[in-house]
Each structure stands twice: as C-alpha cells, then as structure tokens.
Amino acid sequence: MYRVLLVDDDVHILNTNRAYLEKLGYEVVTAADGSEALRVTSSAALDAIVLDVELPGLNGVEVCRRIREASGAPILFLSAYADTDDRIRGLLAGGDDYVAKPCSLRELELRLRGRILRRENAERRETLRFGGLTIDPGPREVCFQGQAAAFTTLEFDLLAFLARHPRQVFSYGELYDRVWKSPMNQGVHNMQVCMARVRQKLERLCPGVHYIQTVRGKGYRFLAAPEA
C-alpha cells in the first residue's frame, strides 16, 4: 500500500483523484492549501505527493521547495498552467514530473506509480550510514564499526525501512502494511516479536547506542543521531 498526499484547492478534483487512487489500493491523504500540505509532510511518511501549483497562500512551487528540505518523496505537479516556463520552475524547485490539467486518471496513476517504483529501486541499492552503523541493501548486511550481525529477511527489511525514514514514527499497523505488505490479521504480536529481535541484535552489535526509539502509544522511530 502506497501513501500519497494530494494537494489541491479544487474540492471536486481532490475528491475525484482520491476516490480513483483509493479504489486502486492507495492510502490517500489530502490538503487544500500549502500550509496544510507542509503540516502533513512534516508528520507523515509519504511515498509521493501530487501538488497543484496555484494554491491559496503558499503556491505549489514554494511548497515544493520547502518539502525538499526534509523529504525526498517524488513530487508530481498537477496544474492548468503547463507552458515551458511553469514546468521549468516546478522542476527547478525539486519536482519530479509535471502533469497538465485536465489529465486522465489512468495517466496520473501510471506516472505516480512509475515515480514511486523508481525511488524504491534507488533506495534498495543505497547504502545507509549513520555514524558507525552501516545498512547495506546489496548483501543485506548490517555492520557497526566493521563488525557484522546476521538479520533475517524480515528483520533486515524492518530495520532498513525505519532507517530510510529517520525521525518518523510508525505504528505497528503501518509497519506491518508497509514492510510485510499483507493484512494485519495476526494482530500486533508478530510485529512486536520481530521488532524485539531487531532491537536485541542492534544492542549486541552497538552496545550502549540506541538507534530505535519507542514512542509511547504511537510506535517506533529510527534516530539518525542515536541516543547513548
């Protein structure tokens, strides 16, 4: 399940696009202006953003610039203004694609999914480094100051997912959906057990350094600057 933010001040377009994407299995969050969009991006992990250019208050180009300071999620501009200068402004601000209104819902979804998959493929190849800790998706290896530890497939995927979204809090349900990609019909027990094993192995590998933090009543987050 991919989580997408739709930003548009046109309620009809917002509802139409949301209904179409939800029917295809996307989890959709919406915002009607730039300030609301920034609030959402600062508190939720997103797989992609569809952003109107002409918004009340902050325009879409400025919103894009601010999002890019903290997030690498793909940004697709959706706008009635699609001349060359507008496209260039959007791309220079950090946008990944520019779709002209009106557009077919099928085209929008295909472009959206293409950008998400492209980013996922790049992330799978990227080695993550946090001080002495290295998480390498190629050999699926976790090392701390040259020492390696063995993680199962699910344990590695869980750790790598959290590390790709530092400081963002994920509930048991979100981790189950986004890492294991299956309905949470086993309750939270499986996730609790897997998370406990990940933390135990990290503690043995990096004694006294705590990369994963429990946020009471909400879930877990990865600390890029770990607690000692």
Side-chain angles (χ1 to χ4, degrees):
M1 181 190 299
Y2 295 121
R3 179 185 290 163
V4 177
L5 170 63
L6 303 181
V7 188
D8 204 305
D9 62 335
D10 187 317
V11 176
H12 174 71
I13 290 176
L14 206 59
N15 289 340
T16 299
N17 292 351
R18 177 175 59 187
Y20 183 80
L21 292 174
E22 286 180 340
K23 188 180 297 184
L24 294 177
Y26 289 81
E27 179 183 348
V28 180
V29 186
T30 62
D33 58 51
S35 297
E36 187 179 356
L38 292 175
R39 284 195 296 272
V40 172
T41 56
S42 68
S43 61
L46 300 166
D47 293 297
I49 300 161
V50 179
L51 181 60
D52 189 16
V53 174
E54 296 300 317
L55 294 169
L58 293 173
N59 65 49
V61 174
E62 180 58 28
V63 171
C64 178
R65 287 196 186 97
R66 297 194 188 186
I67 290 173
R68 274 292 167 260
E69 294 174 0
S71 173
I75 297 176
L76 283 73
F77 282 105
L78 183 62
S79 176
Y81 302 96
D83 61 33
T84 301
D85 288 343
D86 287 321
R87 290 174 183 267
I88 290 174
R89 282 197 309 136
L91 296 174
L92 288 176
D96 297 279
D97 205 346
Y98 204 109
V99 183
K101 293 179 181 179
C103 74
S104 76
L105 294 173
R106 178 61 173 154
E107 178 187 357
L108 176 63
E109 192 275 329
L110 284 173
R111 291 197 186 206
L112 189 62
R113 179 151 43 95
R115 290 292 173 177
I116 292 172
L117 292 175
R118 186 178 303 179
R119 185 191 185 210
E120 280 190 342
N121 289 335
E123 285 182 339
R124 290 191 187 104
R125 296 190 296 269
E126 179 186 4
T127 299
L128 303 168
R129 293 183 173 86
F130 305 94
L133 181 68
T134 301
I135 304 169
D136 190 343
R140 302 180 69 81
E141 187 175 68
V142 181
C143 297
F144 184 75
Q145 296 179 347
Q147 298 296 314
F151 284 72
T152 68
T153 297
L154 286 177
E155 290 165 0
F156 182 90
D157 288 345
L158 182 58
L159 174 59
F161 176 81
L162 287 170
R164 290 187 185 110
H165 302 88
R167 301 181 302 279
Q168 296 184 18
V169 179
F170 293 91
S171 68
Y172 290 120
E174 288 172 326
L175 290 171
Y176 202 102
D177 287 338
R178 295 165 72 84
V179 177
W180 292 357
K181 305 291 186 182
S182 61
M184 198 168 180
N185 54 13
Q186 301 293 325
V188 299
H189 180 68
N190 288 341
M191 180 58 65
Q192 289 172 325
V193 170
C194 188
M195 180 62 78
R197 289 199 303 262
V198 170
R199 300 183 77 171
Q200 288 167 3
K201 290 181 179 182
L202 280 178
E203 287 170 7
R204 289 196 295 268
L205 183 64
C206 341
V209 183
H210 305 291
Y211 282 96
I212 296 177
Q213 180 186 58
T214 300
V215 181
R216 188 178 298 276
K218 294 184 178 179
Y220 301 102
R221 65 181 166 197
F222 185 90
L223 302 176
E227 297 178 338

